[in-house]
Amino acid sequence: MALRFFGKGGSDTENCPSVSVDETDLSLVFVGWPIEDPEVISEIEQYSHIAPDERAFRIPPELRKAIWEALGGDNPNFG
């Protein structure tokens, strides 16, 4: 695996959510806060089942630009 880092944000510490791309298969790799709130999980499962080996993660809005760039977008205006 060869990860290419695109950005981090959402915290004033070094332990921040981040987004990277696995250059071997171009999959996105997110670090964020696992969602454990039963109401949020229930809402997600109305349209997408979460398998026992999967987790939903909350990624802060500060990473929108990094996610866009990781997907190959050109520097959009994200304010």
Side-chain angles (χ1 to χ4, degrees), residues 2-54:
L3 292 181
R4 182 166 32 128
F5 171 79
F6 276 89
K8 68 179 185 172
S11 170
D12 291 332
T13 69
E14 291 195 19
N15 300 326
C16 290
S18 65
V19 62
S20 300
V21 172
D22 182 338
E23 300 219 335
T24 60
D25 66 3
L26 300 180
S27 60
L28 296 173
V29 177
F30 292 106
V31 175
W33 300 286
I35 296 173
E36 298 176 0
D37 182 327
E39 288 183 37
V40 175
I41 298 298
S42 176
E43 191 169 331
I44 291 169
E45 290 194 324
Q46 290 179 25
Y47 58 84
S48 178
H49 175 70
I50 300 174
D53 63 341
E54 295 178 329

